[in-house]
Amino acid sequence: MANHKKYWKSTAELDSNNAFVEDLKGREFVEKLPEDVFLGNKQAMNDSKTNRRDFLKFVGFSTAAASLAACEGPVHKSIPYVVQPEEIRPGISNYYATTVADGFDLASILVKTREGRPIKIENNPDNPINCSANARVQASVLSLYDKLRLKGPNRSGTPVSWTTLLEQSRQQLDKLQFEGAQVVLLTQSFASPSTYDLINQLLTRYSNIKHITYDAVSYSHALDAFEKAYGERVLPTYDFSKAETIVSLDADFIGDWQGGRHSADYVKTRVPLKKNGKAKMSTHFQFEANMTLSGAAADKRVPMSAAQQKQVLAALYSELTNSQASGDQTIQKWAKVAAKYLRKSGKKGVVITGLPSVEAQRIALAINQELGSIVIDTQHTTTIRQGSANQLTQLVDDLNSGLVQGIITVGVNPVYTLANGDQFAAGLDKVKFSLSFSMNNDETASKAQWVAATPHYLESWGDVEFKTNYFGLTQPTIRPLFDTKQFQDVLLSWLEKDTNYRDELRTYWEQNILNGESWNKALHDGFHVHEKPIKKKNYSDSVSDALDTLASSEQDGYSLQLYTKTGLGDGQQANNPWLQELPDPITRMTWDNYLTVSKYDAEIIGLWNETQSDGALNGGFAKITVGSSSLTVPVLIQPGQANGTFGLAFGYGRQAGMKSEMQTGVNAYKLYNNFSTVQPVVIEAIGGTHEFACTQLQNTLMGREDIVKETTLEIFNTKDRNYFNAVPVVSKNHIETLVTSPEVDIWDQFDRSVGHHFNLSIDLNACTGCGACVVACHAENNVPVVGKREIRKSRDMHWLRIDRYYSSQETFEGDNDTVNEISGLGESLTTFSSLEEPSANPQVTFQPIMCQHCNHAPCETVCPVAATSHGRQGQNHMAYNRCVGTRYCANNCPYKVRRFNWFLYNNNDEFDFHMNNDLGRMVLNPDVVVRSRGVMEKCSLCIQMTQKTILDAKLEGRQIKDGDWQCACSKACSNGAITFGDINDKTSRVAKSLESDRMYHLLESVGTKPNVQYQVKVRNTETS
Amino acid sequence: MVKSGDPQAVAIYEEYNKSVMTAFPQLSNEDIDNILAYTDYTPPAPAIPAVVATTAASGTDDTTSTLLLGVLVLVLVVLVVMLFLVTQTLRKIAIANGIEVETSKPKRKPLWKVYINNSFLVFSTVLFLLFSSAYFAYGYMMQVGIDQGYMPVQPIHYSHKIHSGANEIECKYCHSSARVSKHSGIPSLNVCMNCHMNIAEYNGEEDLEKGYTKEFYTNEIKKLYKAVGWDEDNQRYTGETQPVKWVRIHNLPDFVYFNHAQHVDVAGIDCQKCHGPVEEMEIMYQHSPLTMGWCIDCHRESNVDLENNEYYEKVHAELSKKYGVEKLTVAQMGGLECGKCHY
């Protein structure tokens, strides 16, 4: 056995003194049944007015009443169309290609609509560049049905008609132009050629209007650096599939860095495929302060503060150019190691950085120039981020000084997202004319004089330039739900043009982009590539000054590292319950943001976390002060956090236009001074206890540590399967027999060789933990949202969860002997804990877990009513209408994947999320039933999708190809970490992956024979 | 006439985008006269008075029988009273004459006491009652939620008997999505207008007993025009629509997935197999119980239609070898698995 690592899920687990954790490990259920509360209290029992007899009477009466009430069926009305649109057939989904570009996320997507309602977002597989949907884009369909969206235009809260708004606003603009007063048009980064064309027309007509672009999370430094080096204020693009060595300094490129979307390309170099018996992987160094998705995926993650990273960058540049790495020993060591790999890879190496420093960005560009990197593309650039930090600072001053007399905001919420949002709000009160284009009555809209209600992107037209020469189109997939108008249509009205934006867009495309090709084709595909020659951008920058600045950067005291979380991003969709309930991939936390601290710092400052006896997590509070502003935030001790640094996520703490349940966390933008994600900070511990809703210590592994298997690339290349991925053996008549052998099986095998036999394969190497599959599963299967209170009680309903395991590499080798001497489970639990100290820098493994669809399923044998049974095609079926809610199945499931409906989650005011209003329920998938209270539910391997595939094939009278089989999760995973198919089709990908050396099943020794395969994680650890 | 310059003719010619009316050269003048005569003909009014007369007659019959019954009951009551009075008078006379009337009969055990003392009898009766009530209760419970024969009143009296029966319109002409989708679909009103643009009144058979006269049916067509916004006089759509709120007859629970296309198109089952003799239904009703047992029975018996369907080729070859049969039932193909219909 190659792998004797200890996997753990929170620092508390490593603390051998923590009695709670030990207690939890010994118990299968975190909650103790509260029978003592009433049975133990004799007095209360005797005093109780309701005796057993009364109780029986009530039961009898309610049963009789219920059955009487059930006798009369409700009358259902069916209302057909008067004129049915040709393309709509009830019961059949239509797909439309469109593009989302909300200023933060960008994706080329297919929208699934049923009877005219968009119900799901899927990736557009035909788009030549990777623009797949992340968790937020997957969830954005629910934001369309947000009950709190603006229903129409208003003036200071009073509804007005569009005619009034359009006329009055134009009069105002005319008047301000006549007065010569400046008006600012503050917009998001559109990256939309046709919109910019319209804005330019507006600027020509009104010479007093100034256009300022603003990104809530700024990339101003990177833009400025690129402008200095290449003469254009744009961002370069990257193709990580060409990379051999990636050195990232604080750039979470698997997360949201520069708009995200890099992970699919990156993963192509991370899956070891053996060619001539040898597999290759790229090498990935990550220097960072917070634990990010990129850090989790890295081969070598080095936790360090931003100042140290700058020094590493400077040293790396010096080492690469003249082999003279500067700085102290650690810095030099890492610079030399990274430089060695970069040199070896040559043009296949790349250095990227997310440090908020123009100098650092320039050095990174200089290194890539030096390497001649082909990973970075400085010619095909992108304009998805254009915001300028300086212009914004100036704007706030101008608003307050009275220089700017009118302001129009489009798609931005500066009152919330600016560090000095209060000053911006004060400025808004002073101007003569303020107009906000917004979907929600957010902080800025509620302060503006006029509010123009805008449609959701699924109701809008639009276009976007992904990168130079690559264009995308946005088309409406539903008629506007409310009385809304697009910004572009309002622009046309101000320009007194008698057209609408759709026609204008088409004309613009036909004249400038399509180059004679069909508009309908571009609209159908959702994208268009127009290969026209690009004006070459040449590198010209001398970085010696920048080098000095970086090399001499020092950190005094603590620094705060602001970041965006997978769930909420910049906070635009904070009112989306799917995103609020999506566990953060790293911390497994829902419904909150928090200050991440290292264990070392926590002990010094006196910050704490505590696991309650029921498995819920509590944390203390910290007061963090940056400059003049301070916030009180709950604390989470984060393994891998660089000492002296603290992390805090943007996007939370929104109040205006939000449901009270969604007003979670604190607003980190208040500390985002000068648009720098790194801030000097003063931290002090303060009293109080915060209750987290964390899915972390719940459902412990009971010491079954072989659930995650991993090995190194070296072992993978040199040793055979039995070394790194041995099948467990059991003793039968003192002969060691493989658990997969029928000899040791207590069940008979069922012949599954006929027909389809579905398998799901999960590649632990390709999974970056991004969470897109979790949201896709919610959308496809009508999984309810249960809220923070219930999650805290470990009653989450996620059918698919992504478990995150930490492991400590440093103790890897020496432990083997000790581990071999352990006998028995009890000893292993205590010995493991004493083996390792909580590692400052753990390795991370993500493991998506859903129902394993065991061929010998333990759940099926214990169901008293046969509500769960096995299908011939390998799925473990769950008949909800048959379930009586005994929960035996969940108790007997070794993987803990069954979810119980403790309450009625739809039409229930106690759970006031999307399923509690008609608008929100429009997102439900009509092919999947909405479960009621008291029944068990779980992953069905999206049987509605496989059935649809089969039924379609029968209708068309054809065989089914491998790629036709899909689950919601496999479809959502652009990394290819999840593959679904039929193993009886020997040419299918899952049939091949079943034969792979890396394939294993979870808890194989239990003998459940699951239909979900996992591929052993291979790490490229030769760097250490 | 246009060529001759008739002003009215030219105006009409211009109005209809210069299209010429079909000339019908095959019709002679006599034919045309006949057609005109036919269209001017008004059918004689049906003999309604006769109907009224018959109802009146049957009404008098009823009254006579009730009267007779009343008289009989009265006579009986009088008899009973008289008898009672007679016995009382006799008794009084007897007492007056000093004759003792023997009132008590020899003591015999009452039947109910015998019964109660016999524990076997009591036990078997109780058992019988228990079982029979359980049987009836079960029967009653099992039909809860089964709406076989459900025949709601619809907003427009649409007769399948006329459309599907008399006119022999194919079911899937209107319920077209049954071919491709899980829903059979209630046809949208524009489908109705394909024919009813030209059929404004009913001229078929009548069922006078139930009041289904020609006027009645024509009136229903008018309801359609109102719903779809068709201006009959000017032969154009007004755009004012009122979608029809049909009452849904076949209600499957939400937790059941049923796909029409699979049964109609893939399996080639006649609509009538489940929906009954629709072509004879004046008012549509639920023919089948739509219970799970009913589904399962059919899945056990029916063979899968494998003809010319490439999808089944391989599966069929392997499965029929496995089961050693020539034809496979739906159940053998896995049609009884829970997850096939419940998800």
Side-chain angles (χ1 to χ4, degrees):
Chain A
M1 294 284 281
N3 185 355
H4 287 291
K5 286 186 180 179
K6 150 81 174 156
Y7 292 96
W8 43 282
K9 296 185 289 177
S10 94
T11 48
E13 233 177 309
L14 298 167
D15 180 4
S16 54
N17 299 325
N18 191 333
F20 283 136
V21 180
E22 286 306 311
D23 185 32
L24 275 177
K25 275 184 182 165
R27 274 193 283 139
E28 189 167 12
F29 301 106
V30 287
E31 283 169 78
K32 191 175 181 305
L33 293 177
E35 68 242 299
D36 289 350
V37 176
F38 58 95
L39 288 181
N41 191 344
K42 281 263 155 42
Q43 181 69 26
M45 289 290 278
N46 292 335
D47 290 353
S48 168
K49 287 206 176 79
T50 319
N51 56 31
R52 179 185 286 261
R53 208 168 264 218
D54 284 338
F55 175 73
L56 287 174
K57 278 182 209 160
F58 295 148
V59 171
F61 175 75
S62 43
T63 315
S67 40
L68 277 174
C71 294
E72 189 89 3
V75 174
H76 296 282
K77 300 273 179 176
S78 277
I79 307 171
Y81 285 96
V82 171
V83 178
Q84 186 167 325
E86 227 177 296
E87 67 278 9
I88 291 182
R89 277 172 299 185
I92 292 186
S93 315
N94 291 339
Y95 290 81
Y96 296 96
T98 187
T99 311
V100 50
D102 61 8
F104 191 72
D105 288 313
L106 175 68
S108 179
I109 51 175
L110 296 179
V111 181
K112 178 184 179 187
T113 67
R114 271 292 289 271
E115 286 89 46
R117 294 173 291 125
I119 57 167
K120 193 161 178 302
I121 306 291
E122 274 157 22
N123 291 322
N124 187 349
D126 296 335
N127 200 327
I129 51 171
N130 195 321
C131 265
S132 46
N134 59 18
R136 288 184 300 273
V137 175
Q138 290 279 357
S140 63
V141 64
L142 187 56
S143 295
L144 167 69
Y145 303 118
D146 185 352
K147 208 174 86 177
L148 294 177
R149 275 180 59 189
L150 282 170
K151 310 277 190 297
N154 69 63
R155 180 181 190 172
S156 319
T158 333
V160 291
S161 73
W162 273 108
T163 340
T164 321
L165 186 135
L166 292 176
E167 268 174 26
Q168 300 239 6
S169 59
R170 202 171 67 231
Q171 280 169 17
Q172 288 274 8
L173 287 177
D174 288 341
K175 199 172 136 214
L176 287 167
Q177 187 185 28
F178 180 73
E179 288 170 6
Q182 200 186 54
V183 177
V184 165
L185 176 65
L186 184 68
T187 71
Q188 64 178 77
S189 294
F190 277 113
S192 157
S194 65
T195 307
Y196 284 130
D197 183 57
L198 286 175
I199 290 177
N200 285 335
Q201 289 181 40
L202 185 81
L203 299 186
T204 328
R205 187 187 161 113
Y206 293 99
S207 50
N208 60 328
I209 297 185
K210 187 181 167 197
H211 179 208
I212 297 178
T213 320
Y214 168 52
D215 300 315
V217 181
S218 176
Y219 283 87
S220 206
H221 303 100
L223 288 160
D224 291 343
F226 196 81
E227 188 178 23
K228 192 139 180 40
Y230 290 91
E232 229 177 290
R233 201 164 185 282
V234 288
L235 289 175
T237 52
Y238 298 86
D239 181 358
F240 287 99
S241 64
K242 294 176 183 161
E244 215 173 79
T245 301
I246 302 161
V247 178
S248 162
L249 297 112
D250 196 36
D252 182 15
F253 63 100
I254 293 174
D256 299 325
W257 176 74
Q258 295 197 358
R261 315 187 313 281
H262 300 112
S263 67
D265 288 335
Y266 166 76
V267 160
K268 283 179 194 154
T269 69
R270 304 292 294 173
V271 178
L273 295 172
K274 277 191 178 166
K275 274 182 197 159
N276 307 325
K278 202 164 159 39
K280 276 177 85 176
M281 278 171 76
S282 64
T283 313
H284 172 190
F285 293 88
Q286 183 83 12
F287 300 89
E288 61 181 12
N290 294 341
M291 176 68 100
T292 65
L293 288 183
S294 309
D299 298 312
K300 189 63 209 174
R301 177 182 181 272
V302 187
M304 49 171 58
S305 71
Q308 287 169 309
Q309 291 170 39
K310 286 179 185 168
Q311 292 176 27
V312 169
L313 193 57
L316 183 61
Y317 180 77
S318 311
E319 176 69 24
L320 278 170
T321 45
N322 51 19
S323 302
Q324 283 180 346
S326 54
D328 67 35
Q329 215 180 351
T330 339
I331 305 287
Q332 275 196 31
K333 177 192 151 200
W334 286 117
K336 284 194 166 140
V337 174
K340 191 180 100 190
Y341 278 87
L342 281 173
R343 268 203 214 102
K344 202 171 84 185
S345 304
K347 60 181 184 175
K348 287 185 175 173
V350 68
V351 176
I352 53 174
T353 175
L355 289 166
S357 139
V358 181
E359 290 81 19
Q361 299 286 348
R362 279 169 59 202
I363 296 284
L365 289 173
I367 294 176
N368 290 329
Q369 182 67 26
E370 179 76 23
L371 293 168
S373 172
I374 53 167
V375 179
I376 185 170
D377 185 346
T378 52
Q379 303 307 315
H380 289 85
T381 53
T382 176
T383 53
I384 54 161
R385 296 284 190 280
Q386 298 162 39
S388 155
N390 295 339
Q391 278 186 319
L392 250 292
T393 322
Q394 184 65 38
L395 173 64
V396 177
D397 292 346
D398 289 350
L399 276 174
N400 282 296
S401 70
L403 192 70
V404 171
Q405 280 300 328
I407 182 151
I408 303 162
T409 62
V410 186
V412 289
N413 185 7
V415 175
Y416 164 71
T417 55
L418 276 177
N420 49 0
D422 304 340
Q423 287 176 40
F424 190 92
L428 270 183
D429 289 340
K430 290 180 188 152
V431 294
K432 284 183 184 156
F433 171 62
S434 59
L435 167 63
S436 172
F437 285 85
S438 178
M439 244 173 65
N440 303 86
N441 197 23
D442 58 25
E443 285 78 357
T444 310
S446 52
K447 290 268 188 311
Q449 294 159 12
W450 296 87
V451 181
T454 51
H456 189 259
Y457 79 90
L458 289 171
E459 307 164 317
S460 317
W461 288 96
D463 61 349
V464 69
E465 190 173 21
F466 299 119
K467 63 180 187 183
T468 316
N469 289 347
Y470 289 79
F471 299 91
L473 272 174
T474 305
Q475 63 172 322
T477 55
I478 185 171
R479 218 188 275 179
L481 292 166
F482 305 116
D483 186 15
T484 54
K485 241 186 215 318
Q486 278 188 254
F487 166 60
Q488 290 90 341
D489 273 323
V490 175
L491 277 183
L492 284 167
S493 147
W494 284 341
L495 291 166
E496 292 180 277
K497 286 199 176 185
D498 197 20
T499 54
N500 59 32
Y501 178 51
R502 182 198 166 279
D503 296 339
E504 196 69 16
L505 178 70
R506 183 173 178 166
T507 320
Y508 181 86
W509 267 57
E510 278 168 350
Q511 283 169 2
N512 300 295
I513 292 167
L514 285 170
N515 198 21
E517 281 187 51
S518 154
W519 157 262
N520 281 340
K521 183 179 182 295
L523 195 59
H524 168 268
D525 295 347
F527 63 87
H528 178 74
V529 185
H530 177 202
E531 272 302 347
K532 60 175 183 228
I534 312 167
K535 200 176 129 228
K536 193 163 185 334
K537 299 183 231 342
N538 288 317
Y539 182 80
S540 65
D541 193 13
S542 142
V543 290
S544 53
D545 60 321
L547 201 60
D548 294 342
T549 324
L550 283 192
S552 61
S553 50
E554 286 291 332
Q555 184 190 347
D556 296 326
Y558 293 138
S559 69
L560 179 69
Q561 190 90 28
L562 299 164
Y563 69 103
T564 54
K565 260 174 78 164
T566 305
L568 288 195
D570 69 344
Q572 279 185 54
Q573 293 193 66
N575 211 15
N576 190 321
W578 284 347
L579 291 176
Q580 289 273 11
E581 197 154 298
L582 174 72
D584 184 80
I586 300 286
T587 60
R588 310 283 291 130
M589 197 75 79
T590 61
W591 296 93
D592 249 323
N593 69 344
Y594 34 76
L595 189 73
T596 57
V597 303
S598 67
K599 194 164 170 62
Y600 175 80
D601 288 324
E603 274 163 14
I604 294 176
I605 303 170
L607 304 171
W608 55 274
N609 272 146
E610 188 181 76
T611 311
Q612 297 296 292
S613 59
D614 61 354
L617 186 76
N618 284 352
F621 281 102
K623 189 181 171 201
I624 54 175
T625 313
V626 174
S628 56
S629 17
S630 55
L631 288 175
T632 303
V633 287
V635 165
L636 182 77
I637 297 171
Q638 171 65 51
Q641 180 80 33
N643 290 344
T645 68
F646 301 83
L648 183 64
F650 290 127
Y652 285 82
R654 267 189 62 186
Q655 308 274 328
M658 298 267 293
K659 263 189 198 157
S660 56
E661 288 91 343
M662 311 284 178
Q663 295 177 13
T664 53
V666 294
N667 182 5
Y669 284 112
K670 290 281 158 267
L671 311 177
Y672 192 35
N673 294 334
N674 303 319
F675 299 95
S676 170
T677 47
V678 181
Q679 299 283 346
V681 68
V682 178
I683 310 247
E684 59 182 301
I686 57 170
T689 301
H690 182 78
E691 297 191 337
F692 284 115
C694 180
T695 51
Q696 190 169 37
L697 254 187
Q698 301 153 355
N699 305 334
T700 71
L701 274 172
M702 295 291 294
R704 296 156 174 170
E705 251 99 20
D706 62 342
I707 200 156
V708 175
K709 284 191 184 177
E710 63 174 70
T711 185
T712 62
L713 185 62
E714 195 191 347
I715 293 171
F716 179 68
N717 273 335
T718 51
K719 302 278 172 48
D720 75 339
R721 182 204 163 115
N722 284 335
Y723 185 79
F724 63 86
N725 185 20
V727 178
V729 288
V730 286
S731 167
K732 193 193 180 194
N733 302 331
H734 304 286
I735 301 163
E736 287 199 334
T737 322
L738 292 181
V739 289
T740 47
S741 149
E743 301 255 312
V744 293
D745 207 332
I746 58 169
W747 305 105
D748 289 333
Q749 291 281 4
F750 183 81
D751 175 22
R752 289 181 200 285
S753 58
V754 180
H756 310 297
H757 183 186
F758 297 123
N759 261 215
L760 192 68
S761 170
I762 293 166
D763 192 335
L764 298 183
N765 261 51
C767 179
T768 58
C770 71
C773 51
V774 179
V775 180
C777 177
H778 268 240
E780 174 67 32
N781 291 305
N782 302 336
V783 177
V785 170
V786 295
K788 185 173 181 179
R789 197 185 53 211
E790 293 295 303
I791 294 264
R792 194 175 150 81
K793 291 179 185 159
S794 54
R795 291 174 179 173
D796 57 308
M797 295 299 284
H798 300 102
W799 284 11
L800 162 59
R801 62 173 196 264
I802 304 180
D803 280 343
R804 176 267 300 121
Y805 296 107
Y806 294 128
S807 57
S808 322
Q809 195 190 3
E810 277 71 7
T811 46
F812 183 83
E813 292 297 331
D815 285 352
N816 283 358
D817 297 335
T818 328
V819 171
N820 289 338
E821 281 159 24
I822 295 174
S823 65
L825 177 69
E827 198 183 324
S828 75
L829 283 174
T830 48
T831 320
F832 267 130
S833 307
S834 61
L835 263 179
E836 296 179 21
E837 286 306 309
S839 172
N841 184 23
Q843 287 181 339
V844 184
T845 311
F846 294 111
Q847 185 173 48
I849 293 197
M850 66 293 291
C851 174
Q852 302 290 306
H853 296 272
C854 315
N855 282 338
H856 295 167
C859 53
E860 289 165 12
T861 48
V862 294
C863 181
V865 292
T868 183
S869 60
H870 217 72
R872 177 182 292 157
Q873 298 171 341
Q875 296 120 325
N876 172 257
H877 295 161
M878 181 72 219
Y880 308 119
N881 44 315
R882 199 158 182 148
C883 177
V884 294
T886 63
R887 298 192 281 131
Y888 291 151
C889 53
N891 295 349
N892 214 29
C893 173
Y895 308 104
K896 296 290 164 250
V897 289
R898 286 179 161 262
R899 301 282 176 263
F900 186 65
N901 284 274
W902 289 93
F903 296 98
L904 184 69
Y905 296 117
N906 59 74
N907 264 331
N908 185 346
D909 289 339
E910 293 295 317
F911 298 94
D912 191 15
F913 308 112
H914 66 286
M915 282 211 226
N916 195 34
N917 60 71
D918 281 341
L919 194 62
R921 276 194 293 269
M922 299 236 292
V923 84
L924 294 178
N925 182 357
D927 286 336
V928 179
V929 63
V930 174
R931 279 77 59 185
S932 183
R933 183 173 68 171
V935 303
M936 194 57 78
E937 61 180 67
K938 57 155 200 89
C939 160
S940 64
L941 275 189
C942 284
I943 190 168
Q944 70 280 5
M945 291 174 81
T946 51
Q947 280 297 102
K948 176 91 172 80
T949 311
I950 295 172
L951 301 183
D952 284 349
K954 284 182 185 172
L955 261 181
E956 291 160 27
R958 60 170 166 83
Q959 300 271 353
I960 300 171
K961 295 194 303 292
D962 182 36
D964 294 348
W965 303 113
Q966 287 291 1
C967 283
C969 53
S970 63
K971 225 173 177 179
C973 186
S974 53
N975 295 350
I978 307 181
T979 328
F980 180 69
D982 177 5
I983 50 168
N984 282 347
D985 172 5
K986 293 299 169 204
T987 58
S988 68
R989 289 166 300 165
V990 278
K992 283 175 188 153
S993 68
L994 190 65
E995 304 302 321
S996 155
D997 280 352
R998 292 202 289 137
M999 197 285 297
Y1000 75 100
H1001 289 123
L1002 287 194
L1003 306 181
E1004 209 149 24
S1005 52
V1006 185
T1008 49
K1009 304 217 174 347
N1011 280 320
V1012 179
Q1013 320 158 9
Y1014 285 82
Q1015 308 290 328
V1016 172
K1017 187 170 175 91
V1018 179
R1019 285 185 191 277
N1020 189 2
T1021 46
E1022 53 177 311
T1023 51
S1024 56
Chain B
M1 279 171 91
V2 177
K3 275 179 198 149
S4 65
D6 185 302
Q8 209 176 342
V10 172
I12 291 170
Y13 182 61
E14 292 291 330
E15 190 185 336
Y16 289 100
N17 295 329
K18 309 196 173 180
S19 54
V20 186
M21 268 173 79
T22 328
F24 298 112
Q26 73 272 28
L27 298 180
S28 65
N29 277 345
E30 197 186 339
D31 287 339
I32 292 167
D33 285 344
N34 280 343
I35 290 170
L36 286 175
Y38 175 77
T39 47
D40 285 347
Y41 175 74
T42 7
I48 292 162
V51 181
V52 176
T54 35
T55 27
S58 63
T60 31
D61 268 0
D62 280 352
T63 358
T64 352
S65 51
T66 333
L67 255 175
L68 259 173
L69 261 174
V71 170
L72 273 173
V73 167
L74 204 73
V75 168
L76 271 173
V77 168
V78 168
L79 273 175
V80 167
V81 171
M82 276 169 70
L83 274 173
F84 184 71
L85 288 174
V86 166
T87 38
Q88 245 191 354
T89 335
L90 279 176
R91 228 172 256 254
K92 271 185 193 158
I93 294 166
I95 291 165
N97 292 348
I99 302 163
E100 219 165 275
V101 182
E102 208 166 312
T103 44
S104 59
K105 288 169 197 160
K107 267 223 164 170
R108 259 169 61 192
K109 240 184 175 178
L111 199 62
W112 65 271
K113 268 204 171 152
V114 177
Y115 175 75
I116 281 192
N117 287 346
N118 187 333
S119 56
F120 173 74
L121 263 180
V122 173
F123 178 74
S124 44
T125 326
V126 167
L127 210 63
F128 174 75
L129 281 174
L130 263 178
F131 274 114
S132 54
S133 53
Y135 175 79
F136 286 111
Y138 181 78
Y140 175 76
M141 293 297 186
M142 288 320 278
Q143 60 86 45
V144 167
I146 298 171
D147 301 316
Q148 196 169 9
Y150 179 44
M151 193 198 277
V153 177
Q154 300 288 2
I156 294 180
H157 180 90
Y158 174 87
S159 167
H160 278 90
K161 191 177 171 186
I162 295 172
H163 290 84
S164 180
N167 293 321
E168 294 182 348
I169 302 172
E170 156 72 24
C171 306
K172 284 166 275 178
Y173 176 75
C174 302
H175 299 284
S176 59
S177 53
R179 274 189 285 239
V180 287
S181 165
K182 71 175 193 178
H183 298 296
S184 64
I186 296 176
S188 56
L189 300 183
N190 60 335
V191 175
C192 309
M193 289 306 284
N194 285 350
C195 300
H196 279 287
M197 190 109 93
N198 299 317
I199 303 173
E201 54 186 47
Y202 178 71
N203 280 315
E205 279 178 31
E206 296 180 310
D207 185 349
L208 300 178
E209 250 181 67
K210 290 184 181 147
Y212 300 145
T213 60
K214 287 183 180 168
E215 286 78 27
F216 172 80
Y217 284 122
T218 308
N219 196 30
E220 296 302 309
I221 299 177
K222 300 284 179 278
K223 282 190 194 166
L224 164 69
Y225 287 163
K226 196 170 172 219
V228 78
W230 173 252
D231 183 352
E232 228 189 317
D233 299 330
N234 301 315
Q235 294 283 304
R236 62 182 182 85
Y237 288 104
T238 58
E240 285 167 34
T241 57
Q242 295 171 339
V244 184
K245 294 177 182 170
W246 300 103
V247 180
R248 194 176 164 143
I249 300 167
H250 302 89
N251 290 299
L252 279 185
D254 287 346
F255 50 74
V256 186
Y257 180 89
F258 174 81
N259 193 315
H260 270 96
Q262 291 308 307
H263 293 83
V264 172
D265 201 288
V266 177
I269 299 173
D270 284 338
C271 305
Q272 281 83 349
K273 174 131 196 211
C274 305
H275 290 290
V278 176
E279 68 281 356
E280 291 164 18
M281 294 181 189
E282 178 64 35
I283 301 173
M284 185 68 197
Y285 61 85
Q286 183 180 325
H287 171 78
S288 305
L290 300 187
T291 56
M292 190 168 115
W294 172 77
C295 295
I296 295 274
D297 283 346
C298 191
H299 277 195
R300 283 209 173 102
E301 291 157 9
S302 309
N303 287 326
V304 180
D305 178 22
L306 307 152
E307 294 296 311
N308 304 323
N309 196 331
E310 206 186 312
Y311 173 79
Y312 286 116
E313 269 175 19
K314 195 175 146 213
V315 183
H316 177 241
E318 287 171 351
L319 265 186
S320 46
K321 207 170 92 191
K322 183 175 168 186
Y323 290 115
V325 286
E326 192 54 40
K327 286 198 157 179
L328 288 168
T329 62
V330 183
Q332 281 167 326
M333 289 283 295
L336 296 190
E337 290 177 3
C338 307
K340 291 288 168 71
C341 309
H342 299 295
Y343 45 78

